[in-house]
Amino acid sequence: MDVLMLSRLQFAVATFFHFLFVPLTLGLSLLVAFMETKYVRSGDETYLKMTKFWGKLFLINFTIGVVTGLTLEFQFGTNWSNYSMFMGDIFGSLLAIEALGFFFLESILLGVWIFGWKKISKTAHAIVMWLVAFAATGSAVWILTANAWMQHPVGYVIRNGRAELANFAQVALNPFAILMLTHTLFAAYIISAFFVMGISAYHLIRKQHVDFFTRSFRMALVLGLVFSFAEIVEGHMHGADLAHSQPTKLAALESHWQTSKNAPIYLFALPDDANGKNRIEIGPIPGLLSLLAYHNMSAEVKGLADFPADERPPVLITHFAFRAMVGLGFYFALVTLIGWFKRNSLLESPWYLKLMLYSTPLPYIATELGWTVAEVGRQPWIVYGLMRTKDAVSSIAASQVAVTLVGFIFVYGLLGAIGFYLIIKKAIKGPAAD
Amino acid sequence: MDLQAIWYFLWVLLWAVYFATDGFDLGIGALLPFLGKNDEEKRIMFNSIGPLWDGNEVWLITAGGVTFAAFPLMYAVMFSSLYSALMLILFALIIRGVAFEFRGKIDSPGWKKLWDFCLFIGSLVPSFLFGVAFANIFQGIPIDDKGVYHGTLFTLLNPYGILGGALFFLLFLVHGAIWLAIKSDGDLHDRAARTASGLWPVLLVVAVVFLIASKFTTPIYDNYTAHPMLFLLILITVLALLGVKLFLSLKNYWTAWLSSAVTIIGATFFGFVGLFPNMFPSSLNPAFSLTAYNASSSHLTLQIMFTLAVIFVPVVLAYQIWVYSLFRHKVSKEELGYDEAY
């Protein structure tokens, strides 16, 4: 394999692994802050126990998120130096703002939250957790703004052989970033809700700590229900926006090859990347793609055949990742809706609790599929329409990258195994007995 | 001074603050097997930096991010040239970071030993390699006109590079030992104070050798001889280093620690003040060197980032100092019993 392929694999391993931990940080920090606030306002010790129990799981998860985020910031320099030279004027500042403005706040205050129970007042301690949650969200804003700029570059001018900043407000308020941000945050809240519901279900099935886990489950259920439905609406808007911002990605999502009015969506399509068509097409629903993309059944949707073959993303992966993600998205809405009607009789529905227990990993899978759609669907570009991935890679020895790639797989594999083992162990142990 | 020059020194400052803050927790990590005689002492060492290490490490993320933002060419060339060294540092920081969180989660001696070792290796490797990397920058790196590196990890392990590694390592060890003396009492405190005092003469010798070696292997002193006022910087750094010993013998540990922080900041500035405007000199041809002027961002980006830095750096320092003062007390046995303690 060459440096390009190795570097792409390495970045994929590093980001996919990192993103197993980020969403729970975003969502669980809010839930823990909410629990602690309930404790401070009501004095009810159960809320304190909830804060500490879910907080402990949050911290294991957070630590792995932090250490794996570190490598990402430097990989643009180590493996994608040509990208960094060309785009750093804009992209670098977004990462710097994230660190200075938000990641500091999150990391420094989390230390206070962990060790400061007896050092600051109860109210101040709860405020610290809200600030941690706020800072985590702020970090996500800037990282996603940076990624959105790669998806849909704005506010730049090509000068001195590189992309230079022309309008900072345009970069910061990129409409694509706002869509990505809401999509990702909603996904994070769904993951966190299912995480809390899944672990609560485990204990409720065994009828242990019933009050504790019923409260936890219901709190998470509200979060999950609201954002599962919100995500469907938001996901639709996000997809429709691609018609303007990334037409090749939109066409790849639905494996749409020929430009047409009244464009269909197939119940099942098997893309054939090499020959630029679908090998199998079953059950066309005429006009549905036009309707979803333009809110008009007869609108014309550009097909992949209209783009040169070297500007098309890998359709097979993008299409199926998208389908699976959407399917899971509807599943989340369905099961949380069922949960809403069962919220007062959770103990009487062991089958539902079991369903929710086994559903815990599904939002994780959906999120990784979502990133597959976002990143593979952007290919062959590293910055859509502006720079190709193959031109972005560093001039370094392939052997070096091969060694570190193996290192990443090995270290992250162990880290992930230990991290999830500890989370599951602590989750099963339940809240402290005292 | 123009914006590029201001950014150059701001950039050096961010790295210097990183070394001065994360330096002591790296130092404590590297001292763990030598100073922590039993599990309780080891836990005191972990907890002495428990609330602080993560915030300290964000200075590295900030230094990296600011390198990217203000000097994108520097970011691209520096980190691709130093690929293997940087990756080793990152892997080390990963196993070290999780060691804090994982160690106490399972009550078994083997498990604890594993994470003690990870903290040790994960602290030792970055301490040494940061020094190696920066000494090599002072000396010049074999990069061509495209910024492509012609060498391997072992190219960096030349005598001056290793000397720089030893210097940083010793600086961090002393910095960490003083911090531990502040945060502990009894036997552990005495041992930490003794270690700081005992390592100090070694540090002094290595620092002097480094200052002399810099004369023969780097162009650093050219700026100093052109502007003799700059020798003040070296003077302050050396005085701070002597202050470390003085305040240690006076048992004034906070002042000793601050002196040690000033020494580290001075040592980082020492090289870059001498290199300016060079940031990443090429040892193949001076024309290939990256400077504050040819590696910088556009004027607009530098301006925006400068405004943000002027606002945020003091704010961050303010709340970080608040947190340091919140955790200024010695780690007590009672605290080790808390559920959240490492």
Side-chain angles (χ1 to χ4, degrees), chain A residues 390-425:
Chain A
K390 69 178 168 62
D391 300 324
V393 77
S394 303
S395 305
I396 45 177
S399 56
Q400 262 181 329
V401 188
V403 170
T404 54
L405 174 60
V406 172
F408 271 105
I409 293 170
F410 178 72
V411 173
Y412 280 13
L414 273 177
L415 214 60
I418 296 170
F420 281 115
Y421 168 75
L422 287 177
I423 288 176
I424 292 168
K425 182 174 172 277

Side-chain angles (χ1 to χ4, degrees), chain B residues 137-334:
Chain B
I137 294 175
F138 298 164
Q139 173 179 244
I141 306 256
I143 50 164
D144 64 20
D145 56 332
K146 302 258 182 317
V148 175
Y149 177 64
H150 293 270
T152 66
L153 176 62
F154 300 103
T155 316
L156 303 176
L157 296 175
N158 51 66
Y160 185 71
I162 292 173
L163 187 62
L167 177 67
F168 268 53
F169 187 45
L170 282 161
L171 280 169
F172 293 175
L173 286 180
V174 170
H175 204 34
I178 303 173
W179 183 260
L180 185 59
I182 291 173
K183 292 286 286 181
S184 62
D185 47 21
D187 282 354
L188 186 58
H189 164 87
D190 296 345
R191 223 175 296 135
R194 268 206 310 277
T195 305
S197 302
L199 284 173
W200 187 86
V202 188
L203 171 60
L204 182 69
V205 170
V206 171
V208 170
V209 174
F210 188 79
L211 282 173
I212 296 167
S214 300
K215 171 77 188 141
F216 298 102
T217 49
T218 77
I220 283 177
Y221 287 104
D222 294 355
N223 275 353
Y224 288 87
T225 38
H227 308 276
M229 280 291 285
L230 293 175
F231 277 106
L232 268 178
L233 172 73
I234 300 180
L235 183 68
I236 293 170
T237 310
V238 171
L239 283 177
L241 181 57
L242 297 174
V244 171
K245 178 69 185 167
L246 174 69
F247 294 114
L248 272 175
S249 36
L250 294 174
K251 302 196 187 306
N252 194 339
Y253 296 107
W254 273 106
T255 320
W257 185 79
L258 286 173
S259 297
S260 162
V262 172
T263 312
I264 292 173
I265 293 172
T268 315
F269 269 93
F270 158 71
F272 285 107
V273 164
L275 284 185
F276 181 82
N278 280 316
M279 298 185 93
F280 206 72
S282 168
S283 58
L284 300 182
N285 181 342
F288 304 157
S289 297
L290 305 189
T291 70
Y293 298 96
N294 69 18
S296 83
S297 284
S298 66
H299 191 74
L300 180 61
T301 297
L302 289 180
Q303 233 171 7
I304 292 173
M305 287 308 300
F306 181 69
T307 313
L308 291 169
V310 166
I311 297 169
F312 279 112
V313 171
V315 171
V316 169
L317 280 173
Y319 65 72
Q320 193 165 39
I321 288 169
W322 170 67
V323 173
Y324 272 52
S325 72
L326 201 60
F327 295 103
R328 67 188 177 277
H329 304 291
K330 294 187 187 296
V331 180
S332 64
K333 288 214 170 91
E334 188 200 352

Side-chain angles (χ1 to χ4, degrees), chain A residues 73 89 104-105 114 400 404, chain B residues 61 75 83 297-298 319 340:
Chain A
E73 198 204 24
D89 198 57
F104 258 124
L105 191 65
I114 304 171
Q400 262 181 329
T404 54
Chain B
I61 297 179
Y75 172 84
Y83 187 95
S297 284
S298 66
Y319 65 72
E340 63 272 13

Side-chain angles (χ1 to χ4, degrees), chain A residues 11-207:
Chain A
F11 205 87
V13 168
T15 38
F16 273 61
F17 188 77
H18 178 58
F19 214 78
L20 286 175
F21 302 94
V22 174
L24 194 63
T25 300
L26 289 167
L28 205 50
S29 58
L30 279 177
L31 279 173
V32 170
F34 182 68
M35 290 165 186
E36 193 173 357
T37 308
K38 291 272 253 184
Y39 163 64
V40 172
R41 299 184 77 162
S42 70
D44 183 340
E45 292 285 325
T46 304
Y47 285 118
L48 177 62
K49 272 196 201 168
M50 281 165 73
T51 307
K52 292 216 169 181
F53 173 74
W54 296 109
K56 189 176 280 178
L57 301 183
F58 168 81
L59 290 176
I60 301 174
N61 174 78
F62 177 84
T63 309
I64 307 180
V66 169
V67 295
T68 54
L70 193 63
T71 60
L72 283 176
E73 198 204 24
F74 289 95
Q75 272 197 58
F76 295 102
T78 52
N79 293 67
W80 305 98
S81 59
N82 284 316
Y83 166 81
S84 304
M85 290 180 204
F86 193 63
M87 307 295 173
D89 198 57
I90 296 167
F91 192 83
S93 39
L94 301 173
L95 297 193
I97 294 170
E98 186 264 342
L100 262 179
F102 298 94
F103 196 54
F104 258 124
L105 191 65
E106 185 181 359
S107 301
I108 292 179
L109 289 190
L110 197 61
V112 176
W113 192 79
I114 304 171
F115 291 92
W117 286 95
K118 302 228 162 51
K119 300 220 184 266
I120 52 177
S121 75
K122 279 182 190 171
T123 311
H125 196 265
I127 291 173
V128 164
M129 195 59 190
W130 281 110
L131 285 172
V132 167
F134 161 79
T137 313
S139 280
V141 169
W142 290 99
I143 296 299
L144 291 170
T145 303
N147 184 274
W149 194 83
M150 300 168 80
Q151 305 283 353
H152 183 59
V154 291
Y156 69 93
V157 55
I158 301 292
R159 198 164 42 205
N160 304 322
R162 62 179 180 180
E164 292 196 348
L165 186 64
N167 185 329
F168 182 72
Q170 273 181 21
V171 173
L173 302 170
N174 186 351
F176 200 97
I178 294 164
L179 286 166
M180 271 196 99
L181 176 67
T182 38
H183 198 65
T184 313
L185 283 180
F186 291 1
Y189 301 148
I190 296 170
I191 284 193
S192 310
F194 275 72
F195 178 85
V196 172
M197 285 190 285
I199 292 168
S200 301
Y202 173 88
H203 291 282
L204 290 176
I205 292 167
R206 287 161 182 75
K207 303 213 175 1

Side-chain angles (χ1 to χ4, degrees), chain A residues 351-365:
Chain A
W351 66 269
Y352 177 70
L353 292 173
K354 252 182 210 153
L355 180 73
M356 293 312 284
L357 171 60
Y358 293 120
S359 296
T360 313
L362 298 180
Y364 284 94
I365 295 171

